[in-house]
Amino acid sequence: MSTGIGEAMNRTEFEQALRAKGQYYHIHHPYHQAMYSGQCSPDQIRGWVANRYYYQVNIPRKDAAIMANCPDASVRRLWLQRVLDHDGDGHEDGGIEAWLALAEAVGLSREEVVDQRHVLPGVRFAVDAYLNFARRASWQEAACSSLTELFAPEIHQSRLQSWPTHYPWIDPQGYSYFRKRLSEARRDVEHGLAITLDHFHTGQEQARALDILQFKLDILWSLLDALTMAYVHQTPPYHTVTDQQVYHRGLS
């Protein structure tokens, strides 16, 4: 990460600088823009859903890593809700189950999504980098990396508004994940933003926080770069030597 350091910003200026990072959010990636404008093929939609599943199942693992590094019980109690949101609480299904419903709605089987056969190496490596960062960074830095949620409600709303019109072949019941996250993301970002504004005070610390947020934006953008190669340009990994999906599914 870069170390461009200036004078410390006040709380309002720092929040504005964090929010300004939204210009690099993956809602602006050509792959997402194609999805919103109805230009994606069914295979491109299914490829995104299947690959994004790997990100989804690692979100609660990331959140558990943050809690493991956090000595403050009050923070852990609030952060725990994020894990329950995705894993479910034993009474209601969570976001991962809702994502599998989306997968079935676009024509994928639960089995082929859960076994991760479609997950591209670039997607796997990027998501793993995010999880490893959350494990190794301080809990405040890892919490800061979650602040892409500042921009998430817009992306979920865009899907809910555009997909039913452009992709009538998708079962509408599959959209529950996006509706669910509209409120959850707004709630989560209040907590993550407060942690970040409270912790990063000096110019050096604030520059670090902005770099961390950019790192997370890089992760999300890289996922779509990998999908673009495989599903838009039709150049999946190893396409020059085989038409088989030889890339690994993870190491034990």
Side-chain angles (χ1 to χ4, degrees):
M1 298 180 183
S2 65
T3 56
I5 300 171
E7 293 185 4
M9 294 174 274
N10 64 38
R11 193 178 182 90
T12 299
E13 292 169 339
F14 184 31
E15 179 175 346
Q16 290 174 342
L18 291 165
R19 291 185 181 277
K21 286 288 186 179
Q23 65 184 306
Y24 307 116
Y25 192 48
H26 63 166
I27 195 172
H28 303 296
H29 193 287
Y31 202 102
H32 264 315
Q33 292 183 332
M35 283 197 290
Y36 302 143
S37 60
Q39 298 177 33
C40 278
S41 68
D43 281 346
Q44 289 168 345
I45 295 290
R46 293 177 187 127
W48 177 75
V49 172
N51 276 269
R52 177 79 180 191
Y53 175 78
Y54 188 66
Y55 178 83
Q56 299 302 133
V57 295
N58 276 287
I59 291 175
R61 298 179 70 196
K62 174 267 297 182
D63 289 324
I66 293 174
M67 289 191 296
N69 290 331
C70 177
D72 188 330
S74 65
V75 172
R76 293 198 305 268
R77 281 192 294 269
L78 288 173
W79 209 272
L80 176 61
Q81 186 59 50
R82 297 173 184 243
V83 177
L84 298 177
D85 286 343
H86 282 83
D87 284 346
D89 60 8
H91 301 286
E92 294 186 12
D93 292 332
I96 292 174
E97 187 62 31
W99 196 267
L100 288 170
L102 173 64
E104 292 177 325
V106 302
L108 293 162
S109 70
R110 173 180 291 257
E111 178 186 9
E112 69 182 304
V113 177
V114 171
D115 70 17
Q116 302 175 13
R117 71 185 70 172
H118 301 301
V119 178
L120 299 163
V123 169
R124 189 180 297 278
F125 296 158
V127 173
D128 288 352
Y130 181 39
L131 178 58
N132 287 331
F133 174 80
R135 287 170 170 164
R136 297 170 182 172
S138 71
W139 68 269
Q140 296 98 332
E141 289 186 336
C144 175
S145 72
S146 75
L147 287 183
T148 48
E149 291 167 339
L150 285 165
F151 324 117
E154 179 184 1
I155 210 168
H156 296 313
Q157 190 64 52
S158 295
R159 292 164 186 156
L160 288 169
Q161 290 176 342
S162 64
W163 280 33
T165 299
H166 295 311
Y167 309 111
W169 52 271
I170 298 177
D171 186 342
Q173 294 186 3
Y175 295 134
S176 63
Y177 177 85
F178 303 140
R179 288 191 291 268
K180 185 173 182 286
R181 288 303 297 166
L182 278 173
S183 59
E184 291 175 353
R186 291 189 179 99
R187 179 206 65 210
D188 291 346
V189 77
E190 291 181 7
H191 187 210
L193 182 59
I195 290 171
T196 300
L197 295 176
D198 288 343
H199 179 73
F200 298 89
H201 298 292
T202 70
Q204 182 174 9
E205 290 169 346
Q206 291 171 346
R208 170 72 174 169
L210 290 167
D211 274 352
I212 288 169
L213 182 51
Q214 184 63 55
F215 164 73
K216 174 63 180 305
L217 291 163
D218 293 349
I219 294 292
L220 296 173
W221 199 272
S222 295
L223 304 186
L224 296 177
D225 284 347
L227 286 165
T228 298
M229 293 297 292
Y231 291 98
V232 177
H233 301 308
Q234 300 297 311
T235 54
Y238 303 104
H239 71 280
T240 57
V241 293
T242 181
D243 59 0
Q244 302 298 310
Q245 294 179 332
V246 297
Y247 34 92
H248 78 290
R249 298 186 190 176
L251 302 175
S252 60

